[in-house]
Amino acid sequence: MNSQAEPGAPRLRLLRASPATVPALGGLGTRRSLRTTCRDELESVPVKMRLRLLLLLLLCEAQGHAAPRPNFVLLMADDLGIGDPGCYGNTTLRTPNIDRLAAEGVKLTQHLAASPLCTPSRAAFMTGRYPIRSGMASQSFIGVFIFSASSGGLPTSEITFAKLLKNQGYSTALIGKWHLGTNCHNKTDFCHHPLSHGFDYFHGIPVTNLRDCKPGEGSVFTRGIRVLVFIPLQIIAITLLTLAVLKCLGLLHVPPVVFFCLLCLAAMILGLLLCFLHYFRPLNCFLMRNHEITQQPLSYDSLTQRLTADAAQFIRRNAGTPFLLLLSYLHVHTALFSSPDFAGHSQHGAYGDAAEELDWSVGGKANNWEGGIRIPGILRWPGVIQAGLVIDEPTSNMDIFPTVAKLAGSPLPEDRIIDGHDLMPLLQGKTQHSDHEFLFHYCNFYLNAVRWHPRN
């Protein structure tokens, strides 16, 4: 989180007196005759009234110079491991920009995601709540959305930090990956879309970045294809061969229609597989701007540069108002991709190329091992947060919600449990211990582990 106010950010003014409210005070000191008249009038005012007027002036002056509300730039990397950035000990991946953020801010060494999977983890990040509370923890094997036609998504009753800040007058934007659903009943209701959850602007992919979205990168459906296609085809082939042998030996009379039906069944299965492979990419891998599809199918050519440029434009466009920007990268989730400026330049193949391009823009874990839930966490706020600080206390990505809300002056919802805790006391050294005594680790719907951090 880069929570630094822009030079032109507006000040929060709780009370503001209009010149029409106190016309006598508005003209003080403009001309000598007026000063004399006003001085005479003030001397005739009782002492208590003069004290009240002075107190009113001081109060208006103090409120007029209230500290500006901070702007928020949240950078989310997809599947970046705890050991990937140089500031976390990697000596072979070049991440100078991420390392500089850590040097100028706070590095969290025990920062944990609420889930090892994209969809539930993002739900927790957005709402400050365990995904099982919001219904974003699946009971099936597949714990994420992989089809744009999925009717599920982040419930409209959930409150995101974007929605809280929008109510406080912030401009809000999500650029990059959403992966929390799109529609409920039809393709135009957009009930789960980012614009329905507090974001004023969205530019990115509504689902996720899969290997199937990039030609030549393979498929995430290999197991399903094997079970639903290859195994049935093998059974059909064995059945055809067995029936043909029995018929040739005269041991069984097999009508020709049986062979015809089995061949048609095999052809239908192959046809469905080919249709799926052909249409999956254009139907599920596309780029959106707000509610409009801008690129279908998605092209990876200079994609990171395009999204980064749009993020920079949003910041410039809202330089005069408080804003929240969530730049949610597609890197380094598969399919791995990078622009020609980075392809083939790292020591770690396509993954390293993608990680170094991610670092340039800053300028899977699918299990509950530490590689799946323990993630890099860096926060920078010059002048407020001590530079170069390292915190070893357990923290969670759910903590961003209450931290951002409090800094923006928004009260937390009182009608639900918020599992995250405000990080500022820990970041500013007002406390040395995390507020998390227990952190629960779910894989989909099921509790896999509990992390206990004794308060003493």
Side-chain angles (χ1 to χ4, degrees):
M1 177 179 71
N2 184 357
S3 178
Q4 183 179 7
E6 294 292 317
R11 298 176 184 273
L12 176 62
R13 298 182 180 180
L14 301 179
L15 294 176
R16 188 159 132 198
S18 167
T21 307
V22 281
L25 297 180
L28 286 177
T30 55
R31 295 181 183 177
R32 180 170 301 183
S33 59
L34 287 176
R35 285 201 301 269
T36 304
T37 303
C38 289
R39 184 175 63 248
D40 294 340
E41 290 181 357
L42 285 174
E43 288 177 355
S44 64
V45 175
V47 176
K48 289 184 178 181
M49 181 62 68
R50 274 186 278 174
L51 289 175
R52 290 175 182 173
L53 290 173
L54 178 61
L55 181 61
L56 177 62
L57 282 173
L58 292 175
L59 180 60
C60 291
E61 180 69 14
Q63 298 298 342
H65 290 83
R69 288 181 292 176
N71 297 323
F72 299 93
V73 178
L74 308 179
L75 308 177
M76 174 180 281
D78 198 350
D79 276 356
L80 189 69
I82 185 70
D84 291 339
C87 55
Y88 281 90
N90 196 311
T91 58
T92 56
L93 265 179
R94 295 167 295 184
T95 57
N97 295 302
I98 296 176
D99 299 344
R100 186 171 65 252
L101 281 181
E104 297 175 354
V106 175
K107 181 176 70 174
L108 306 176
T109 65
Q110 302 296 323
H111 194 52
L112 306 175
S115 172
L117 300 175
C118 295
T119 295
S121 176
R122 288 168 183 271
F125 174 73
M126 293 281 185
T127 64
R129 290 153 50 83
Y130 284 109
I132 197 170
R133 296 192 190 276
S134 59
M136 298 301 288
S138 172
Q139 298 187 50
S140 64
F141 176 77
I142 301 176
V144 300
F145 297 116
I146 55 178
F147 298 106
S148 62
S150 300
S151 61
L154 187 64
T156 55
S157 59
E158 287 298 313
I159 299 175
T160 66
F161 52 67
K163 191 175 293 185
L164 289 181
L165 267 63
K166 184 175 182 177
N167 291 337
Q168 295 295 318
Y170 274 72
S171 297
T172 57
L174 168 62
I175 296 178
K177 176 178 170 179
W178 171 239
H179 209 185
L180 289 173
T182 308
N183 304 310
C184 289
H185 306 291
N186 57 67
K187 63 180 182 180
T188 59
D189 63 17
F190 298 109
C191 68
H192 300 306
H193 191 276
L195 299 191
S196 300
H197 281 289
F199 290 100
D200 298 314
Y201 177 74
F202 170 64
H203 182 200
I205 59 173
V207 192
T208 187
N209 177 33
L210 295 175
R211 292 196 297 271
D212 302 76
C213 294
K214 188 179 180 184
E217 291 294 317
S219 175
V220 299
F221 301 103
T222 303
R223 180 182 297 181
I225 291 174
R226 184 171 61 249
V227 172
L228 299 176
V229 178
F230 291 160
I231 292 179
L233 287 177
Q234 289 173 352
I235 294 174
I236 292 173
I238 293 172
T239 302
L240 282 169
L241 181 61
T242 302
L243 292 176
V245 171
L246 291 176
K247 183 176 181 180
C248 290
L249 295 176
L251 299 177
L252 183 65
H253 175 69
V254 184
V257 68
V258 174
F259 292 100
F260 177 77
C261 290
L262 289 173
L263 289 172
C264 286
L265 179 59
M268 183 182 69
I269 294 174
L270 282 173
L272 290 174
L273 173 63
L274 293 175
C275 287
F276 175 79
L277 295 176
H278 179 75
Y279 288 107
F280 178 85
R281 183 168 173 249
L283 292 178
N284 297 277
C285 309
F286 51 85
L287 202 63
M288 295 186 74
R289 180 175 277 110
N290 295 329
H291 291 154
E292 301 296 325
I293 295 177
T294 58
Q295 191 176 54
Q296 187 179 23
L298 170 69
S299 171
Y300 289 95
D301 293 341
S302 303
L303 179 58
T304 302
Q305 285 78 358
R306 284 183 279 150
L307 295 178
T308 302
D310 198 22
Q313 186 178 7
F314 172 82
I315 292 175
R316 290 192 296 268
R317 191 165 60 243
N318 293 277
T321 60
F323 66 81
L324 163 77
L325 168 64
L326 171 56
L327 182 52
S328 178
Y329 292 100
L330 280 65
H331 287 319
V332 288
H333 192 287
T334 54
L336 296 172
F337 67 96
S338 56
S339 65
D341 292 337
F342 296 91
H345 290 192
S346 77
Q347 300 181 35
H348 297 278
Y351 183 90
D353 299 342
E356 292 186 359
E357 185 173 52
L358 164 67
D359 176 79
W360 166 84
S361 178
V362 170
K365 290 65 175 168
N367 56 59
N368 269 322
W369 300 339
E370 283 220 326
I373 56 174
R374 188 166 169 230
I375 54 177
I378 299 172
L379 301 97
R380 176 181 175 270
W381 191 354
V384 178
I385 296 177
Q386 178 184 340
L389 187 64
V390 177
I391 294 179
D392 298 322
E393 291 291 299
T395 56
S396 169
N397 65 344
M398 296 182 293
D399 296 336
I400 301 300
F401 178 91
T403 304
V404 167
K406 186 170 183 179
L407 290 173
S410 173
L412 292 177
E414 298 181 353
D415 61 343
R416 64 200 64 206
I417 296 174
I418 302 298
D419 298 298
H421 296 285
D422 180 16
L423 287 173
M424 290 307 294
L426 190 63
L427 300 178
Q428 293 181 305
K430 296 178 181 179
T431 180
Q432 302 300 316
H433 300 283
S434 169
D435 287 334
H436 291 287
E437 182 177 5
F438 296 98
L439 281 169
F440 299 90
H441 305 305
Y442 291 85
C443 190
N444 288 340
F445 188 77
Y446 305 98
L447 181 64
N448 281 193
V450 179
R451 179 164 182 161
W452 179 40
H453 182 66
R455 297 188 185 279
N456 57 356

